[in-house]
Amino acid sequence: MKLLKLVPETTNIGFLKLRNPAVGLSLLLIIGSIALVFTNGLNFGVDFVGGQQIRVTFEEVEEAPIVELRESIAALNLGEANIQRFGEANEVAIRMRLNAEAGDELQEADSATIAITSTITETFADQGARIDGVDAVSGKVSGELLTTGVYSLIFALIAISIYIWFRFEWQFGVGALFALFHDVALTFGFFALTQIEFNLNIIAALLTIIGYSLNDTIVIDDRIRENLRKYRKMEIANLLDLSLNETLARTVSTSLTMVFVLVSLVFLGPDVIFGFSAAMLLGVIVGTYSSVYIASPVLIWLGVGPDSFLPVESDSEKAQRRLAEGYDGAQP
């Protein structure tokens, strides 16, 4: 059986010809993403803001009675409830923030949960109200979760930069870090734009995106460094294009495999991991893009050339090399 080749061996795409407009587009998207985060904000889940989330399904009706549900919960005087559809039209998620002092939060959460669930099951019994799940997080714990999540992202980036610094030269590290910043910034912008709930699952997705994007970048950087030793007279842009084309089959195969799985999860997977799946799908696409159009062009702007990483020769070594090449300095 003949093997299927997604990328022919003779492929020679001039990726670097588009490096300036590609990087310009990326800078605009990064600025836009940061602006969205500051203007729209993120729709933090109870993991990060504290409170409780109750998921309810109304089995006997096609659409959840949101107005009546809001009135019933408001009558309990437990605070403002945020009620949103969650998955199908008859499924809702009720989120409420806790108002008690730190020491009474857990007790208040338990009391409020009992009051809300009892009201829903009794008031909407004829509509088949079913409690699917209750999540409660105190304000103190939510603050710790948010801080820990931010630290994990920062430490991951620092550890990656140290690794690349020792594994490659510093220019490769700068390119990889810029690409990672690009991927993370665009993912934050996506969640600020769509207002999909930002919770601990998304932090896990961001860490996975960082790992995936770095893995793709390292494979390309490794081939670039190998070609720098092999083709010492080749123009750097042509050498980068050659390296990208040589690794293109691996890049396309890996990315398409991930995309197929994640598209299935986004459209067919359970609602509870929708945000994670959406973040991963976006991360794989922008991570593949940034490996080609962000990490590689940075090497040109940092002055990397075919002779950048050659060992410094002494005068005697230069003379021996020139003689070996058939040139002793006295000839024209």
Side-chain angles (χ1 to χ4, degrees):
M1 181 178 177
K2 191 175 181 180
L3 294 176
L4 174 64
K5 290 187 177 180
L6 295 176
V7 180
E9 293 179 356
T10 55
T11 299
N12 184 22
I13 301 174
F15 292 103
L16 273 295
K17 291 179 181 176
L18 298 175
R19 62 181 182 274
N20 290 330
V23 171
L25 175 63
S26 293
L27 289 175
L28 287 176
L29 290 175
I30 290 173
I31 294 171
S33 297
I34 294 173
L36 277 173
V37 170
F38 280 100
T39 54
N40 283 9
L42 296 170
N43 180 23
F44 288 115
V46 293
D47 297 344
F48 295 143
V49 297
Q52 54 194 168
Q53 175 172 285
I54 302 172
R55 298 186 298 278
V56 186
T57 299
F58 295 86
E59 296 178 301
E60 302 297 331
V61 294
E62 294 182 355
E63 190 169 344
I66 292 180
V67 176
E68 295 84 352
L69 188 59
R70 195 184 305 279
E71 291 174 351
S72 299
I73 295 176
L76 297 174
N77 293 321
L78 295 173
E80 185 179 356
N82 182 8
I83 304 175
Q84 293 179 324
R85 284 197 173 87
F86 181 74
E88 302 296 331
N90 63 342
E91 298 175 354
V92 294
I94 305 165
R95 290 194 298 165
M96 299 187 68
R97 302 194 64 172
L98 300 176
N99 296 321
E101 298 296 329
D104 300 327
E105 282 183 343
L106 291 178
Q107 183 178 355
E108 190 214 17
D110 290 339
S111 302
T113 299
I114 294 171
I116 294 172
T117 53
S118 299
T119 300
I120 292 174
T121 52
E122 292 172 4
T123 307
F124 301 95
D126 58 332
Q127 300 184 37
R130 184 191 69 205
I131 306 299
D132 293 330
V134 178
D135 300 315
V137 180
S138 72
K140 182 179 180 182
V141 173
S142 65
E144 292 176 353
L145 290 175
L146 179 60
T147 304
T148 306
V150 173
Y151 283 164
S152 66
L153 290 175
I154 294 174
F155 289 147
L157 291 173
I158 293 174
I160 286 169
S161 63
I162 293 173
Y163 168 74
I164 295 180
W165 191 295
F166 284 100
R167 178 71 173 80
F168 299 96
E169 286 71 21
W170 67 269
Q171 293 93 335
F172 289 93
V174 172
L177 280 179
F178 188 36
L180 292 180
F181 176 75
H182 166 273
D183 301 343
V184 173
L186 263 58
T187 306
F188 271 100
F190 170 75
F191 278 89
L193 177 66
T194 59
Q195 290 295 297
I196 295 175
E197 184 177 299
F198 193 93
N199 51 32
L200 279 177
N201 288 338
I202 310 306
I203 294 293
L206 286 171
L207 291 171
T208 309
I209 290 169
I210 289 174
Y212 175 84
S213 178
L214 179 69
N215 182 51
D216 208 27
T217 302
I218 283 180
V219 170
I220 296 173
D221 285 352
D222 212 28
R223 183 58 58 92
I224 292 172
R225 192 170 62 169
E226 183 181 320
N227 285 336
L228 282 171
R229 295 169 181 162
K230 190 184 298 183
Y231 305 104
R232 297 186 176 183
K233 294 183 179 179
M234 184 180 289
E235 290 290 331
I236 184 63
N238 294 333
L239 189 143
L240 294 179
D241 273 338
L242 174 65
S243 304
L244 290 169
N245 280 288
E246 287 178 347
T247 55
L248 188 61
R250 179 263 176 200
T251 302
V252 171
S253 301
T254 308
S255 299
L256 279 182
T257 303
M258 293 284 290
V259 166
F260 288 150
V261 173
L262 292 168
V263 166
S264 301
L265 285 175
V266 167
F267 289 102
L268 303 175
D271 296 323
V272 70
I273 62 168
F274 175 79
F276 177 86
S277 305
M280 283 293 300
L281 179 59
L282 176 70
V284 168
I285 294 172
V286 299
T288 304
Y289 165 84
S290 66
S291 297
V292 175
Y293 282 109
I294 301 296
S296 298
V298 166
L299 298 177
I300 297 178
W301 296 319
L302 293 178
V304 173
D307 57 350
S308 295
F309 309 120
L310 294 178
V312 178
E313 294 179 323
S314 64
D315 292 340
S316 61
E317 289 174 336
K318 286 181 181 177
Q320 289 178 0
R321 179 174 56 79
R322 290 162 70 89
L323 285 173
E325 293 174 351
Y327 177 71
D328 60 6
Q331 299 175 6

